[in-house]
């Protein structure tokens, strides 16, 4: 049973999207336990839309959250979140964990666009996101991380993102920031004193034949092709609002 224990809260959510045979997308599985509550919202054409609602603050120290989504052949799914995720210090010892697992079948499409993750002072959170895509899948993922609330130092945040296409790893990277992180995370080669960092991963079959060209997108963002049909945008900014603007502009530029 999910609930508060001496080791923190356990919470999980599962989403399965399936073509309904009428040109739309059904959601045969839409389950949440503990603080994670996925809710269907108004669809847009063939695309089903889901909003993940947090039923409580967190994750706190010692919490363990798991969120999984599978998009089956021919289905289209858009997932967002109702508010930013706020990592906070908790009474339980140890780091909190938030694990996201995404599976997208051939001919399916997933847009994974949650709100920002804010690392509050004194928190310790490890986030792992793994996306496994079949050949021919279409995928957009946005990650945004804000280090500290206004006027406070950040907590410790470790984030790992892995994307595989047709069994081949096209991206596997980890960023650690805050107290106890390896030296240099706040230096000119990484954040350079800025407090918002984000990335955008776009996978489209057409990129295999016509890869994007690597280029800078202004002073604080870059676009690079990945191995296979994928592209990566990385951006840093002084705050969450400016970061979102950079990533939205980059996505619009990709068409």
């Amino acid at each position: 049973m999910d609930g508060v224990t001496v080791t923190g809260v356990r919470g999980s959510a599962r989403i399965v999207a399936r073509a309904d045979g009428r040109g739309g997308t059904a959601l045969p599985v839409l389950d949440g336990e503990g603080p994670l509550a996925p809710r269907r919202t108004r669809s847009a054409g063939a695309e089903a839309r889901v909003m993940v609602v947090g039923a409580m603050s967190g994750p706190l120290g010692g919490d363990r959250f798991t969120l999984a989504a599978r998009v089956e052949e021919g289905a289209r799914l858009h997932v967002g979140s109702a508010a930013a995720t706020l990592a906070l210090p908790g009474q339980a010892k140890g780091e909190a964990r938030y694990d996201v697992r995404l599976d997208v079948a051939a001919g399916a499409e997933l847009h994974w666009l949650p709100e920002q993750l804010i690392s509050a002072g004194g928190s310790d959170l490890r986030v792992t996101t793994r996306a496994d895509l079949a050949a021919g899948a279409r995928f957009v993922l946005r990650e945004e991380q804000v280090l500290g609330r206004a006027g406070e130092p950040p907590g410790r945040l470790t984030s790992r993102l892995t994307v595989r296409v047709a069994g081949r790893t096209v991206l596997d990277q980890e960023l650690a920031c805050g107290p106890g992180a390896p030296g240099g995370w706040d230096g000119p080669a990484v954040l350079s004193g800025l407090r918002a960092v984000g990335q955008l991963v776009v996978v489209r079959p057409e990129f295999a034949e016509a890869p994007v060209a690597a280029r800078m997108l202004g002073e604080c963002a870059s676009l690079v092709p990945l191995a296979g049909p994928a592209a990566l945008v990385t951006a840093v900014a002084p705050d969450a609002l400016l970061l979102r603007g950079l990533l939205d502009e980059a996505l619009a530029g990709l068409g």
Side-chain angles (χ1 to χ4, degrees):
M1 175 182 293
D2 290 332
V4 179
T5 71
V6 293
T7 57
V9 172
R10 301 294 184 266
S12 63
R14 289 181 61 229
I15 305 167
V16 175
R18 181 176 298 158
D20 64 7
R22 303 186 302 274
T25 298
L27 298 172
V29 178
L30 191 63
D31 295 331
E33 297 180 342
L36 298 177
R39 298 286 184 262
R40 182 162 193 164
T41 60
R42 185 182 297 274
S43 300
E47 179 184 73
R49 294 191 167 222
V50 172
M51 192 73 68
V52 178
V53 179
M56 62 196 316
S57 296
L60 311 180
D63 290 355
R64 300 289 186 270
F65 293 175
T66 302
L67 182 53
R70 185 173 82 246
V71 188
E72 299 181 357
E73 185 174 357
R76 297 179 59 190
L77 177 65
H78 180 290
V79 179
S81 58
T85 297
L86 180 60
L88 294 165
Q91 294 181 345
K93 299 293 184 181
E95 68 181 9
R97 292 189 63 96
Y98 200 138
D99 297 316
V100 178
R101 297 293 179 265
L102 310 173
D103 289 282
V104 188
E109 182 170 353
L110 173 61
H111 286 214
W112 191 262
L113 303 171
E115 294 301 307
Q116 298 92 351
L117 168 61
I118 302 172
S119 174
S123 64
D124 186 356
L125 176 63
R126 177 178 292 272
V127 180
T128 61
T129 302
R130 176 172 175 142
D132 286 289
L133 317 175
R138 304 177 74 86
F139 180 62
V140 176
L141 175 145
R142 182 184 67 213
E143 277 194 345
E144 298 169 306
Q145 294 150 356
V146 180
L147 305 180
R149 294 170 291 189
E152 76 172 359
R156 179 166 181 173
L157 176 63
T158 304
S159 176
R160 183 167 185 173
L161 172 61
T162 304
V163 179
R164 292 170 56 84
V165 179
R168 179 186 185 186
T169 299
V170 301
L171 178 66
D172 189 358
Q173 67 178 26
E174 182 172 288
L175 176 66
C177 304
W185 67 269
D186 205 21
V190 187
L191 296 185
S192 192
L194 300 176
R195 284 295 175 265
V197 57
Q199 53 196 352
L200 190 70
V201 180
V202 180
V203 177
R204 294 176 180 162
E206 55 266 32
F207 287 168
E209 299 297 328
V212 301
R215 61 185 183 273
M216 293 297 298
L217 304 174
E219 296 183 359
C220 296
S222 66
L223 169 66
V224 296
L226 300 175
L232 171 68
V233 175
T234 302
V236 294
D239 57 47
L241 182 62
L242 291 173
L243 178 66
R244 176 66 59 85
L246 289 171
L247 295 178
D248 283 351
E249 184 177 355
L251 183 58
L254 287 169

